[in-house]
Amino acid sequence: QRPPRRKRELEVGVPGEGPLPKKPKPLSLSCSVTPDDDLKFDDIDVENEEEEEEEAIPKDPSKSKMEDILRNWPRPAIKIRDQIAKTEEKEGRLEWRVISNDGTRETAKFLTDAKQIIAKQLPNMPKEYITRLVFDPAHKSLIGLRNSELVIGVLTFRVCEKEGDLLPFIEVVFCTILSTQQFYGYGSRLMNHIKDWAQKHQIFHLLTFADDQAIGYFERQGFTFEINFDKKNWDIGFLKQYDSASLMHCFVDPRVNYLEISEQIRQQRLSFCQKIAEMTNCNTSFSGVPEIDPSKRGPKIDLQNLSGFRSFGWHLEEYKEKMSEKSLRALYHTCKKILDGLTQNNDLVWPFLDSVEELFPQEAENYLSEIEDPIDLGMISRRLEEGYYITIEMFKADLQRMVNNCKDYNTEDTPFWEMADSIQKYIDVAFAEASSEDDDEDGSEDKERGGKSKKGKGKGNGKEKKVKGKEIVVSVVDDEKQFEDDEEIIVV
């Protein structure tokens, strides 16, 4: 939810700007815009451009084609985190400055505002410590200014200059955006500008200590826990370390234009979407079948005559064979064998035999809040007996989901995680053996059918005849007739 002060600012407005509109100005974007993942963006409409701007700027035909493809493309959603901030920059309403304490009145005002934002957003950080670092001439601050006077964000940093063989780097000390402005991707734009500043000064490494709440943001900006930077360059007592914080590193690529990186990534994704659309039939639609009134007995629909089914490789014979009683019975026995082999080791599977609500009622609420689709061996066994599984892949997917849920909820140092890992190994071996047995059976059946067709004699000799347009296979075994209907009409 939006912070409480947001509503008051919308009514009162920002000094120098006048009252703020309830919604920001619509932007010219050709895809659905989402901001930083940790920011809320429920009330911003950025789908269409204003009519007067649309008339003034002619559209590029190639871009129009991409936009049409994207509009019809349900997945994946293409994010442009800093598009709104970029537009404000072009309109002159937003600017970014790198300042330090040079003793001037204007700089002192901006640094004071920046210090207040940091203190408000980082309440656990001592204010005296924040003031000392922000006003230290050795530190610099990249600030975002609305209409050249309102500070909306700040990134305080310190540069470790090159000495001898040691490479220079930037230590990010503070990085925050005003809480009432966390709706427009300013955080991404702030980080892109510091990378651009680093490029211009031939500095290609950023280091910071991030707490648990900031790790997600820094990861989205290209920071990793893997320090791809020689330790001798930075482990020199220069970095300020904090409790419950993790060291993260970001490499600044000199070939990348970070101020335009969001648009470049968007164009790359659009190109991928275009290529996928050209190489696949994912956007192909078919006329379908006439609407059927459920209250009346409608006509029979032969699925093999539907163009959509044929184009995607669906065949009636394969479907009938898979759904035949013989195939389903064989599938049941295969799954039952795997499940029985797993449940024999009670010491290994006892936490999985029933639902979490039954076995661990005290943990159920927390577990269900983290695991969206819980499953256990009891549910899998009931599904097997009810005929839920029509392919062995469905059965394996449920077992795999049970293992994944356990590993997602528990850490590697717990016995439950170790049990899930042992079950994973059993699943891999059991299904590999089941697959090899199926291949052997298919080969023996083909060989047996081939031998009978060559001999063509004996008591079990097969005979074929046509009866009313249907093919009936009659086999005589021990004076008993067995009929198998090989052709049925599938009714929808």
Side-chain angles (χ1 to χ4, degrees), residues 244-260:
S244 303
S246 304
L247 181 63
M248 302 187 73
H249 168 257
C250 177
F251 172 69
V252 179
D253 196 320
R255 301 166 296 178
V256 176
N257 182 358
Y258 285 98
L259 298 184
E260 298 295 334

Side-chain angles (χ1 to χ4, degrees), residues 342 345-352 360 402-403 406-407 410-427:
L342 181 61
N345 190 349
N346 189 68
D347 293 337
L348 177 66
V349 301
W350 68 266
F352 305 91
F360 307 96
M402 181 185 72
V403 172
C406 181
K407 288 187 174 182
N410 300 282
T411 57
E412 294 187 20
D413 57 349
T414 60
F416 298 110
W417 197 97
E418 295 178 359
M419 292 178 183
D421 192 53
S422 299
I423 294 176
Q424 179 69 70
K425 295 176 182 177
Y426 171 83
I427 291 174

Side-chain angles (χ1 to χ4, degrees), residues 23-42:
K23 289 186 178 180
K25 183 178 180 181
L27 301 178
S28 172
L29 302 177
S30 58
C31 63
S32 58
V33 178
T34 55
D36 296 358
D37 293 344
D38 55 338
L39 305 182
K40 304 301 179 184
F41 205 70
D42 298 333

Side-chain angles (χ1 to χ4, degrees), residues 52-99:
E52 59 270 24
E53 293 182 0
E54 205 170 48
E55 295 176 358
I57 304 175
K59 289 188 175 181
D60 185 353
S62 61
K63 288 186 178 181
S64 178
K65 183 179 179 181
M66 284 191 176
E67 291 171 4
D68 292 339
I69 293 173
L70 181 62
R71 236 188 327 268
N72 298 324
W73 194 267
R75 293 290 186 271
I78 296 182
K79 298 181 178 181
I80 304 180
R81 290 181 179 146
D82 60 350
Q83 183 63 46
I84 295 177
K86 284 179 60 177
T87 303
E88 291 186 355
E89 289 179 21
K90 292 178 180 179
E91 295 175 350
R93 295 188 292 119
L94 179 65
E95 63 176 311
W96 304 89
R97 297 184 191 176
V98 175
I99 62 175

